[in-house]
Amino acid sequence: MTYDLIVIGSGPGGYVAAIRASQLGMKVAIVERSELGGICLNWGCIPTKALLKSAQVFEYLKHAADYGIKVNGGEADFGAVVKRSRGVADGMSKGVQFLMRKNKIEVIKGTGKLKAGKKVAVTADGKTTDYEAKNIIVAVGARSRELPNLKIDGKKIIGYREAMVLPTLPKSMVIVGSGAIGSEFAYFYATMGTKVTLVEMLPNIVPVEDEEVSKTLMKSFAKLGIDVRLEAAVQSVDISGAGCKVKIKDAKAETVVDCDVVLSAVGIASNLENIGLEDLGVITDKGKIVVNGYYQTNIPGIHAIGDCVPGQALAHVASAEGIICVEKMAGQNPEPLNYNNIPGCTYCQPEIASVGFTEKAAKAAGYELKIGKFPFSASGKASAAGAKDGFVKLIFDAKYGELLGAHMIGMNVTEMIAECVVARKLETTGHEIIKAVHPHPTMSEAIMEAAAAAYGEVIHL
C-alpha cells in the first residue's frame, strides 16, 4: 500500500495537511488511533468553547435584570452542559470524516509508528500492517504535562480532558497554572458555582500577555470570587481523605487549601514516545522534533508539524505549518511562517486576544514606541452590550509607524484580533489604521481609536 503522503495524527495540523496535499494531487492516507480531529476538535478548542458559552449564558441569566429582563430562577444543569459540549465535539469530528471522504483521503484507524524505508506500521486490534509513502508527516500532538508532585490520577488530580467531563459540579477546585487552559477553566467553573483557587508561579496570570491585560483579568476574576495566588507553587497534594489538601507556598507563607479536585494546567508534553523516532535517528531537542522552516526533519521524507515541533502550541499554527509543509513537498515555494505574527486567544470572560510584541518585549528589543490605548468604557457598542470592561492597546514603532503589537481584553476581542494580524502582515502603519473607516457602533472601532490615541488624534477620549 503506497501513498504520496501518510500523515500520522488527524488533529488540526494533520487533517489540514492531508486535505491540502489532496488538493495538490497527492494520494494521501491519514493514521488516527482515536477520534478524527484530534485533541482540538474532541478534547480541546471546540468542546471547551461550548462549555464556556454555557457559562456565559448562565452569567447572562444571573444578570438579566441589568438588561431590563425579569427571570424567575435559573439553574445550571451541569450534566446537560457537559452533554451539549460533547455533542458539539462529536458533530465537528463527523465534519472531518466528511472532509476526508470529499478529498478522497484514506483514513487508517490504529496507532502509527515510523519504520525505515519511509514506512508506517499501523497497529489496530493486535494486528500490525505496514504502509509506504514517498513522504510522511508526524502530527502526533501533545498531552497534559505532569509535574512530579502533581501526578494526574483522573479523579482527584485531573487534566483538561477530565475537566471537560466531570460527572458532577465540584464545590471547590484548585487550578494550577493560569495560562489559557487554566484561566478558561477558572472562569467556567467559578461561573457555574465552584469555589476556585488559581495558583500561578509567575507574578501575573496569563503570563505571556501584556501586563496591563493580566492586571485587568485579575480584577474580573476577583469579581467572580476566584482566589488568585501569584508567585506561588503547589508543594504537595494529599488525596488520602475524601477530598484534596493542597499545600501552597508563596513568598509570605505556606497554606493548605481544601478542595474536591485539583486541575493541573501547567502546559503540555509532546507525544514523542514509541513512534519510531529513535529507530530512524530523527533528531529531537527538549521534547520536540527538530525541523527546518519547511518542517523537514534530518531524515529525508520525514516531516513534523504542530505541538510536537518548536513554536506556539496552537491549532491555527499547526494548520498553517501543515499547509506550508505540503506545498513545499509539492514543489511550490511557500513563505515560511512568521512566528511573531501569530494571534493568541483566551476565551474566558472578558476574552483576551493579542499578537506581536508586548510593551515590555518591544522596549527590550530597542524600539522607540508610540502606544495608544482605548478603553471599552468609552465604546458605545460596549455600553449598549453591558460589557464595558477592558481595552484595546496598540504598540507602534515611533520611527516608521509599524504596528509592533496589539493587546485586547473585552467582549468578543478574539473576533477582532485578525484585523491586527493582517495589518502586521501587510506592514500597515498607524496612520493607515486611523484612516481606515471602522463601522459604528462596533467593538472593533476601539482598534481605530487606539491607533488614533497613539498619535494624539483620538476623538472619543
Side-chain angles (χ1 to χ4, degrees):
M1 298 186 184
T2 304
Y3 300 88
D4 295 312
L5 173 65
I6 294 175
V7 183
I8 306 175
S10 73
Y15 87 76
V16 168
I19 290 171
R20 185 69 185 116
S22 177
Q23 290 173 345
L24 291 167
M26 297 185 203
K27 182 183 178 185
V28 184
I30 194 162
V31 179
E32 177 55 60
R33 67 183 179 185
S34 189
E35 306 101 333
L36 281 172
I39 292 297
C40 177
L41 264 65
N42 295 282
W43 297 101
C45 324
I46 304 305
T48 54
K49 302 311 155 293
L51 293 175
L52 290 164
K53 185 62 184 180
S54 292
Q56 186 186 28
V57 170
F58 190 40
E59 196 170 20
Y60 271 137
L61 281 175
K62 289 190 283 187
H63 295 93
D66 297 343
Y67 298 88
I69 308 295
K70 291 182 180 179
V71 176
N72 295 322
E75 185 181 339
D77 182 341
F78 187 71
V81 167
V82 170
K83 185 178 178 182
R84 175 181 180 271
S85 169
R86 300 315 309 154
V88 170
D90 185 54
M92 293 298 294
S93 185
K94 285 184 170 65
V96 177
Q97 292 176 31
F98 164 76
L99 291 173
M100 295 299 96
R101 292 194 299 270
K102 176 186 174 186
N103 289 280
K104 297 180 175 59
I105 296 163
E106 183 176 348
V107 177
I108 303 170
K109 297 298 290 184
T111 301
K113 185 174 182 179
L114 296 169
K115 289 182 67 176
K118 295 184 184 177
K119 291 179 181 178
V120 177
V122 180
T123 303
D125 301 323
K127 181 185 175 185
T128 300
T129 306
D130 286 354
Y131 300 86
E132 192 174 341
K134 296 175 185 174
N135 289 283
I136 297 166
I137 295 178
V138 178
V140 291
R143 62 188 183 277
S144 289
R145 185 165 70 94
E146 282 191 289
L147 296 179
N149 61 337
L150 207 61
K151 289 289 186 182
I152 294 171
D153 63 12
K155 293 178 181 177
K156 289 186 178 179
I157 302 176
I158 62 173
Y160 61 82
R161 286 182 73 132
E162 294 87 1
M164 277 184 266
V165 290
L166 288 178
T168 57
L169 181 69
K171 289 189 173 74
S172 55
M173 174 183 283
V174 170
I175 299 177
V176 187
S178 73
I181 293 172
S183 291
E184 287 178 3
F185 277 118
Y187 165 76
F188 170 71
Y189 277 105
T191 303
M192 298 301 288
T194 301
K195 172 60 183 170
V196 174
T197 301
L198 182 61
V199 182
E200 173 55 57
M201 285 189 68
L202 295 171
N204 294 295
I205 57 172
V206 284
V208 301
E209 301 295 343
D210 192 88
E211 287 183 12
E212 287 190 83
V213 168
S214 299
K215 287 177 170 57
T216 300
L217 186 63
M218 274 281 288
K219 292 176 184 175
S220 294
F221 277 3
K223 290 179 191 174
L224 277 174
I226 298 171
D227 178 11
V228 179
R229 309 284 184 95
L230 295 174
E231 296 183 90
V234 171
Q235 300 295 103
S236 62
V237 181
D238 181 356
I239 58 172
S240 60
C244 305
K245 291 186 178 297
V246 185
K247 191 181 289 184
I248 302 171
K249 185 178 181 181
D250 60 22
K252 296 177 183 176
E254 191 171 85
T255 57
V256 175
V257 174
D258 291 312
C259 66
D260 295 332
V261 66
V262 177
L263 168 58
S264 178
V266 292
I268 59 170
S270 301
N271 296 319
L272 301 189
E273 301 86 357
N274 304 314
I275 59 170
L277 297 175
E278 300 86 355
D279 299 341
L280 268 64
V282 176
I283 295 173
T284 63
D285 182 47
K286 297 174 183 175
K288 301 283 186 178
I289 299 172
V290 176
V291 292
N292 64 12
Y294 296 105
Y295 311 101
Q296 299 160 340
T297 70
N298 61 303
I299 304 300
I302 307 297
H303 311 71
I305 60 171
D307 292 359
C308 62
V309 303
Q312 297 98 319
L314 299 168
H316 43 283
V317 171
S319 296
E321 290 172 345
I323 290 169
I324 291 168
C325 179
V326 296
E327 287 182 348
K328 183 67 174 178
M329 202 182 289
Q332 298 188 358
N333 191 30
E335 182 182 347
L337 195 58
N338 175 7
Y339 287 94
N340 197 33
N341 197 30
I342 301 295
C345 297
T346 304
Y347 296 84
C348 51
Q349 294 295 333
E351 291 184 344
I352 294 171
S354 62
V355 66
F357 289 93
T358 62
E359 180 180 349
K360 188 176 180 180
K363 285 177 178 175
Y367 288 102
E368 183 184 344
L369 307 179
K370 282 186 179 291
I371 298 174
K373 188 175 165 185
F374 189 81
F376 285 120
S377 58
S379 161
K381 179 63 180 293
S383 290
K388 296 195 289 183
D389 289 347
F391 58 85
V392 170
K393 176 179 178 180
L394 300 185
I395 301 166
F396 295 97
D397 172 20
K399 187 175 181 181
Y400 298 111
E402 178 190 357
L403 177 60
L404 297 174
H407 305 275
M408 310 175 187
I409 179 167
M411 183 184 74
N412 286 342
V413 295
T414 59
E415 305 293 343
M416 291 164 49
I417 193 64
E419 174 181 348
C420 296
V421 178
V422 174
R424 281 171 50 74
K425 175 71 174 173
L426 299 177
E427 299 182 353
T428 303
T429 66
H431 284 295
E432 288 171 325
I433 294 173
I434 296 166
K435 299 306 179 187
V437 178
H438 286 58
H440 175 78
T442 61
M443 302 291 283
S444 65
E445 284 176 289
I447 295 173
M448 175 184 69
E449 295 274 22
Y455 288 89
E457 299 177 20
V458 67
I459 299 297
H460 293 100
L461 279 182

mmCIF file of all heavy atoms in Angstrom, residues 114-116 275-284 289-290 297-300 302:
data_model
loop_
_atom_site.group_PDB
_atom_site.id
_atom_site.type_symbol
_atom_site.label_atom_id
_atom_site.label_comp_id
_atom_site.label_asym_id
_atom_site.label_seq_id
_atom_site.Cartn_x
_atom_site.Cartn_y
_atom_site.Cartn_z
ATOM 1 N N LEU A 114 6.809 4.960 12.936
ATOM 2 C CA LEU A 114 7.730 5.098 11.808
ATOM 3 C C LEU A 114 8.628 3.872 11.696
ATOM 4 O O LEU A 114 9.091 3.325 12.701
ATOM 5 C CB LEU A 114 8.598 6.341 11.990
ATOM 6 C CG LEU A 114 7.885 7.704 11.999
ATOM 7 C CD1 LEU A 114 8.838 8.794 12.452
ATOM 8 C CD2 LEU A 114 7.328 8.024 10.618
ATOM 9 N N LYS A 115 8.880 3.473 10.430
ATOM 10 C CA LYS A 115 9.820 2.396 10.160
ATOM 11 C C LYS A 115 10.767 2.836 9.045
ATOM 12 O O LYS A 115 10.456 3.741 8.273
ATOM 13 C CB LYS A 115 9.076 1.112 9.722
ATOM 14 C CG LYS A 115 8.312 0.423 10.837
ATOM 15 C CD LYS A 115 7.644 -0.850 10.346
ATOM 16 C CE LYS A 115 8.648 -1.912 9.963
ATOM 17 N NZ LYS A 115 7.983 -3.189 9.577
ATOM 18 N N ALA A 116 11.905 2.185 8.980
ATOM 19 C CA ALA A 116 12.870 2.506 7.924
ATOM 20 C C ALA A 116 12.252 2.283 6.552
ATOM 21 O O ALA A 116 11.338 1.470 6.394
ATOM 22 C CB ALA A 116 14.125 1.650 8.099
ATOM 23 N N ILE A 275 7.028 6.165 18.800
ATOM 24 C CA ILE A 275 6.581 6.372 17.412
ATOM 25 C C ILE A 275 7.718 6.158 16.413
ATOM 26 O O ILE A 275 7.589 6.496 15.241
ATOM 27 C CB ILE A 275 5.954 7.778 17.207
ATOM 28 C CG1 ILE A 275 6.942 8.900 17.559
ATOM 29 C CG2 ILE A 275 4.676 7.904 18.020
ATOM 30 C CD1 ILE A 275 6.440 10.275 17.141
ATOM 31 N N GLY A 276 8.842 5.584 16.891
ATOM 32 C CA GLY A 276 9.918 5.179 15.990
ATOM 33 C C GLY A 276 10.952 6.242 15.667
ATOM 34 O O GLY A 276 11.795 6.023 14.797
ATOM 35 N N LEU A 277 10.923 7.368 16.369
ATOM 36 C CA LEU A 277 11.882 8.440 16.068
ATOM 37 C C LEU A 277 13.321 7.984 16.282
ATOM 38 O O LEU A 277 14.204 8.241 15.454
ATOM 39 C CB LEU A 277 11.585 9.666 16.939
ATOM 40 C CG LEU A 277 10.229 10.347 16.753
ATOM 41 C CD1 LEU A 277 10.051 11.468 17.767
ATOM 42 C CD2 LEU A 277 10.084 10.911 15.335
ATOM 43 N N GLU A 278 13.563 7.287 17.402
ATOM 44 C CA GLU A 278 14.929 6.843 17.725
ATOM 45 C C GLU A 278 15.415 5.817 16.716
ATOM 46 O O GLU A 278 16.595 5.830 16.318
ATOM 47 C CB GLU A 278 14.967 6.248 19.143
ATOM 48 C CG GLU A 278 14.544 7.202 20.242
ATOM 49 C CD GLU A 278 13.038 7.232 20.470
ATOM 50 O OE1 GLU A 278 12.304 6.563 19.691
ATOM 51 O OE2 GLU A 278 12.596 7.907 21.395
ATOM 52 N N ASP A 279 14.524 4.921 16.299
ATOM 53 C CA ASP A 279 14.912 3.865 15.347
ATOM 54 C C ASP A 279 15.410 4.460 14.030
ATOM 55 O O ASP A 279 16.340 3.937 13.412
ATOM 56 C CB ASP A 279 13.722 2.944 15.061
ATOM 57 C CG ASP A 279 13.223 2.230 16.312
ATOM 58 O OD1 ASP A 279 13.994 2.163 17.293
ATOM 59 O OD2 ASP A 279 12.078 1.754 16.313
ATOM 60 N N LEU A 280 14.789 5.568 13.616
ATOM 61 C CA LEU A 280 15.184 6.200 12.352
ATOM 62 C C LEU A 280 16.292 7.224 12.523
ATOM 63 O O LEU A 280 16.884 7.682 11.541
ATOM 64 C CB LEU A 280 13.968 6.877 11.700
ATOM 65 C CG LEU A 280 13.161 6.036 10.703
ATOM 66 C CD1 LEU A 280 12.515 4.844 11.396
ATOM 67 C CD2 LEU A 280 12.103 6.890 10.019
ATOM 68 N N GLY A 281 16.560 7.630 13.761
ATOM 69 C CA GLY A 281 17.577 8.650 14.010
ATOM 70 C C GLY A 281 17.077 10.068 13.808
ATOM 71 O O GLY A 281 17.863 10.978 13.541
ATOM 72 N N VAL A 282 15.747 10.266 13.950
ATOM 73 C CA VAL A 282 15.190 11.613 13.848
ATOM 74 C C VAL A 282 15.633 12.419 15.070
ATOM 75 O O VAL A 282 15.466 11.985 16.210
ATOM 76 C CB VAL A 282 13.648 11.573 13.773
ATOM 77 C CG1 VAL A 282 13.070 12.985 13.769
ATOM 78 C CG2 VAL A 282 13.197 10.816 12.521
ATOM 79 N N ILE A 283 16.192 13.589 14.822
ATOM 80 C CA ILE A 283 16.746 14.403 15.904
ATOM 81 C C ILE A 283 15.624 15.111 16.665
ATOM 82 O O ILE A 283 14.731 15.722 16.059
ATOM 83 C CB ILE A 283 17.749 15.442 15.361
ATOM 84 C CG1 ILE A 283 18.967 14.733 14.756
ATOM 85 C CG2 ILE A 283 18.199 16.401 16.459
ATOM 86 C CD1 ILE A 283 19.934 15.669 14.052
ATOM 87 N N THR A 284 15.684 15.021 17.990
ATOM 88 C CA THR A 284 14.774 15.766 18.860
ATOM 89 C C THR A 284 15.588 16.611 19.823
ATOM 90 O O THR A 284 16.772 16.343 20.067
ATOM 91 C CB THR A 284 13.854 14.827 19.659
ATOM 92 O OG1 THR A 284 14.649 14.012 20.524
ATOM 93 C CG2 THR A 284 13.033 13.943 18.738
ATOM 94 N N ILE A 289 10.520 17.672 18.083
ATOM 95 C CA ILE A 289 11.220 17.218 16.882
ATOM 96 C C ILE A 289 11.844 18.425 16.190
ATOM 97 O O ILE A 289 11.185 19.447 15.979
ATOM 98 C CB ILE A 289 10.245 16.501 15.922
ATOM 99 C CG1 ILE A 289 9.634 15.269 16.595
ATOM 100 C CG2 ILE A 289 10.962 16.101 14.631
ATOM 101 C CD1 ILE A 289 8.517 14.612 15.793
ATOM 102 N N VAL A 290 13.114 18.307 15.860
ATOM 103 C CA VAL A 290 13.838 19.413 15.217
ATOM 104 C C VAL A 290 13.507 19.441 13.720
ATOM 105 O O VAL A 290 13.655 18.433 13.026
ATOM 106 C CB VAL A 290 15.365 19.272 15.428
ATOM 107 C CG1 VAL A 290 16.108 20.379 14.680
ATOM 108 C CG2 VAL A 290 15.696 19.306 16.912
ATOM 109 N N THR A 297 12.531 17.102 8.739
ATOM 110 C CA THR A 297 13.473 16.652 9.767
ATOM 111 C C THR A 297 14.819 16.374 9.113
ATOM 112 O O THR A 297 15.006 16.589 7.910
ATOM 113 C CB THR A 297 12.961 15.377 10.468
ATOM 114 O OG1 THR A 297 13.036 14.282 9.540
ATOM 115 C CG2 THR A 297 11.523 15.558 10.950
ATOM 116 N N ASN A 298 15.754 15.846 9.912
ATOM 117 C CA ASN A 298 17.069 15.487 9.363
ATOM 118 C C ASN A 298 17.023 14.237 8.495
ATOM 119 O O ASN A 298 17.991 13.928 7.793
ATOM 120 C CB ASN A 298 18.070 15.278 10.503
ATOM 121 C CG ASN A 298 17.658 14.152 11.443
ATOM 122 O OD1 ASN A 298 16.564 14.175 12.010
ATOM 123 N ND2 ASN A 298 18.517 13.154 11.612
ATOM 124 N N ILE A 299 15.896 13.514 8.527
ATOM 125 C CA ILE A 299 15.746 12.306 7.702
ATOM 126 C C ILE A 299 14.898 12.649 6.478
ATOM 127 O O ILE A 299 13.736 13.060 6.610
ATOM 128 C CB ILE A 299 15.067 11.169 8.498
ATOM 129 C CG1 ILE A 299 15.842 10.870 9.791
ATOM 130 C CG2 ILE A 299 14.935 9.921 7.642
ATOM 131 C CD1 ILE A 299 17.273 10.425 9.583
ATOM 132 N N PRO A 300 15.439 12.505 5.265
ATOM 133 C CA PRO A 300 14.677 12.855 4.068
ATOM 134 C C PRO A 300 13.334 12.129 3.995
ATOM 135 O O PRO A 300 13.242 10.931 4.280
ATOM 136 C CB PRO A 300 15.606 12.393 2.920
ATOM 137 C CG PRO A 300 16.975 12.440 3.510
ATOM 138 C CD PRO A 300 16.807 12.044 4.952
ATOM 139 N N ILE A 302 10.810 12.576 5.953
ATOM 140 C CA ILE A 302 10.104 12.597 7.242
ATOM 141 C C ILE A 302 9.938 14.059 7.684
ATOM 142 O O ILE A 302 10.923 14.794 7.789
ATOM 143 C CB ILE A 302 10.860 11.813 8.335
ATOM 144 C CG1 ILE A 302 11.176 10.394 7.853
ATOM 145 C CG2 ILE A 302 10.047 11.791 9.636
ATOM 146 C CD1 ILE A 302 9.966 9.540 7.565
#
